[in-house]
Amino acid sequence: MRNRRACLDHRAASGTATTFVKNVIVDSGFLIGLFDETDPLHSRCRGFLRDYRGRFLTTESVITETMALLSTKQQWRCLEWLGNAAQAGLLRVDREPLDFGSIEKLARKYADQPMDFADASVVLLAMRSGIREILTADRHDFAVYRMGGRTRFVDVLADKM
């Protein structure tokens, strides 16, 4: 079995600053940026992964959206990384039953954005877990979305600019 560092082969043992978030929610934009070398966020996503020491949380909707937007070879690399991270205990995919009523309510609330299904699943995951930190390329949308009440998301990738 590979050790933790080998499971996340993009991490490097370096003296760079470490991100101090213990848990972070992953949106599809981060995964796409990580595995699509032509994505404008590619180097920022890789840099974050190199420095991060914590767990990732996401939803099946995010993974589905990611796979739909990556090439076949990128999908293979992404699936390998997801599998290794999950096996190492560094990734948790939310398995709660979908609350379609809550997803519809969020989609209607943010209809001016508009909010897609994966984003709604991420907001619901954040509300259930209490985790505000998110890795996303949808900076504008997640600056507007709230975790119930007035609680804002913390765009962790924006801190890497």
Side-chain angles (χ1 to χ4, degrees), residues 10-161:
H10 298 295
R11 288 187 181 181
S14 67
T16 59
T18 301
T19 304
F20 291 102
V21 177
K22 292 182 183 178
N23 291 292
V24 66
I25 294 178
V26 177
D27 188 31
S28 56
F30 174 77
L31 292 173
I32 293 164
L34 189 59
F35 294 100
D36 180 353
E37 298 81 7
T38 65
D39 190 283
L41 292 178
H42 180 70
S43 58
R44 191 177 315 153
C45 293
R46 287 187 53 108
F48 178 86
L49 187 61
R50 179 188 62 238
D51 296 339
Y52 182 66
R53 303 293 179 261
R55 276 187 359 172
F56 300 95
L57 289 85
T58 196
T59 67
E60 289 182 355
S61 301
V62 166
I63 294 171
T64 301
E65 183 175 74
T66 299
M67 293 303 147
L69 297 171
L70 291 175
S71 73
T72 301
K73 287 183 182 181
Q74 293 165 345
Q75 288 176 23
W76 294 338
R77 289 196 323 270
C78 183
L79 287 168
E80 179 181 22
W81 183 83
L82 291 168
N84 288 338
Q87 186 175 15
L90 301 174
L91 171 70
R92 190 187 90 201
V93 178
D94 184 45
R95 302 281 187 210
E96 291 294 316
L98 288 172
D99 181 351
F100 293 107
S102 293
I103 289 173
E104 178 188 6
K105 190 175 183 179
L106 284 169
R108 287 181 186 277
K109 179 178 180 179
Y110 296 108
D112 59 328
Q113 294 309 107
M115 175 183 265
D116 68 24
F117 190 84
D119 286 355
S121 75
V122 166
V123 172
L124 290 177
L125 173 60
M127 290 168 57
R128 282 195 310 272
S129 68
I131 297 171
R132 300 174 50 207
E133 293 79 10
I134 187 167
L135 292 167
T136 185
D138 296 335
R139 304 182 78 201
H140 173 74
D141 292 346
F142 280 94
V144 173
Y145 301 155
R146 298 290 181 267
M147 294 174 44
R150 297 177 183 242
T151 305
R152 295 177 183 249
F153 282 89
V154 176
D155 183 352
V156 180
L157 275 184
D159 295 342
K160 300 296 276 182
M161 295 181 88

